[in-house]
Amino acid sequence: MSFPKNFLWGGATAANQCEGGYNEGGRGLANVDVIPHGEDRFKVGSGVREMLDFEEGYYYPAQIGIDFYHNYKEDIALFAEMGFKTFRLSIGWSRIFPKGDELEPNEEGLKFYEDVFKECQKYGIEPLVTITHFDLPIHLIKEYGGWRNRELIEMYKRLVTVLFTRYKGLVKYWLTFNEVNVILHFPFMGAGLLFKEGENPKHAIYQAAHNELVASAWATKIAHEIDPNNQVGCMLCGGQFYPYSCHPEDVFAALTKDRENLMFIDVQARGYYPSYALKMFEKEGIEINMTDEDLEILKAHTVDFVSFSYYSSRCISTQEGAGTSDGNIISSTTNPYLKASEWGWQIDPLGLRITLNTLYDRYQKPLFIVENGLGAKDTVEADGSINDDYRIDYLRDHVKAMKDAIEEDGVDLLGFTPWGCIDLVSASTGEMSKRYGFIYVDRDDLGNGTLKRSKKKSFDWYKQVIESNGENLD
Ligand code: BGP
């Protein structure tokens, strides 16, 4: 048997991409609400185009998402039918603290997640909760400047204290910040950052990142104090960089690109800034407001496990003319040995095994793959069936790679939650047509459709994978 008996098979979602109910239950407005579908999405998400409220002429897919807010019972029942052991979802911060800086939480918001967790408990599904998946109350951006402001650490501590206390006994697995390194590429979406004229964005980004890392360490401390059973993880937007050639300059470039992302996990898993990061700050003139207490907290409260998303490996060349490919937020030199998805993301199952090994060698902590999957267009046949063999093929190859990493390499892997187990809004494009789910949701890119759920062919395939604990992949 390669997968451990208690391996956590499941699926992953995020509040801003599926929940909807943006103005219900006392919820406040958040950054993720005002990032529109269409050509301005990237500009808004990266903080280049300021949009702090809904503007006419735009469509905002997060407002309704797939309306998980009203359909969670039906959705969780379908997850249970597939045999999920775990379900990854995130908390909308502005549901709990509508403005973010209140002293008292919003009971209606707390009750919503309590109901969701109890529904999971009914089926023996262990929730895996991302505390913030790109979510930030808009008030904290307007009044405080987002995560660049240290005051947010206190607000985050208040948020997590409320969550750990209220959900004690219902939730054990927590992730502090989704894809913490994405702040480098999507700073408004990742950390509520907007840049002032003449400001060097890098300075604000690394200060905000530091504040998040410290907040994350505090969350780990508080989680363990409130319930020693709590397990807290960090979350990397993962995928190893390959050198395009064996030219030493390409090899060094790949090392450098990996460090850009791994720096965050180095801090969260080892408890201190690596020397290459301190040298980079010095060279770039980045002065981070970092207190002695911050350094103590980082050191004393490292994470229990390391989680990551993996869609593809990445590649880097120092020579011109190699061509670039899109990927999960971070673009890359095109790898001539790999095929790509309809959205141009290259497909590399062995890259997952490589990434697992790198992370395990580096941190020696249990790993958790909390996102993986194929974004593809699906066709609903006349009889209602959806034959997504391409998705099954992608997932089968990646499960095999996980299996090899466990069986052959001895990697300690806690679980696997493929992304968008039910179709939801794409983070990068705002589209619905970029589908990842085992469950189809009738909704299009502009919000038309009945929201009806139906099972795809991959639904039964995944059910059998879970039933056989990863032994039957055909
Ligand atoms: C990650 C995010 C998810 C998710 C996924 C797929 O970056 O954590 O929120 O959306 O990527 O990306 P996309 O939706 O752009 O296809």
Side-chain angles (χ1 to χ4, degrees), residues 17 133 178-179 311 328 345 371 419 426-428 434 436:
Q17 288 162 267
H133 192 122
N178 179 62
E179 297 189 332
Y311 296 89
N328 184 17
W345 296 18
E371 284 185 33
W419 175 248
S426 155
S428 56
K434 191 179 186 192
Y436 287 87

Side-chain angles (χ1 to χ4, degrees), residues 13-14 16-17 88 133-134 178-179 182 189 235 237 309 311 327-329 343 345 371 375 419-420 424-431 434 436:
T13 60
N16 75 87
Q17 288 162 267
R88 177 176 176 228
H133 192 122
F134 302 149
N178 179 62
E179 297 189 332
V182 153
M189 195 171 200
M235 190 333 191
C237 178
S309 59
Y311 296 89
N328 184 17
I329 302 169
W343 272 263
W345 296 18
E371 284 185 33
W419 175 248
L424 39 65
V425 176
S426 155
S428 56
T429 68
E431 293 164 308
K434 191 179 186 192
Y436 287 87

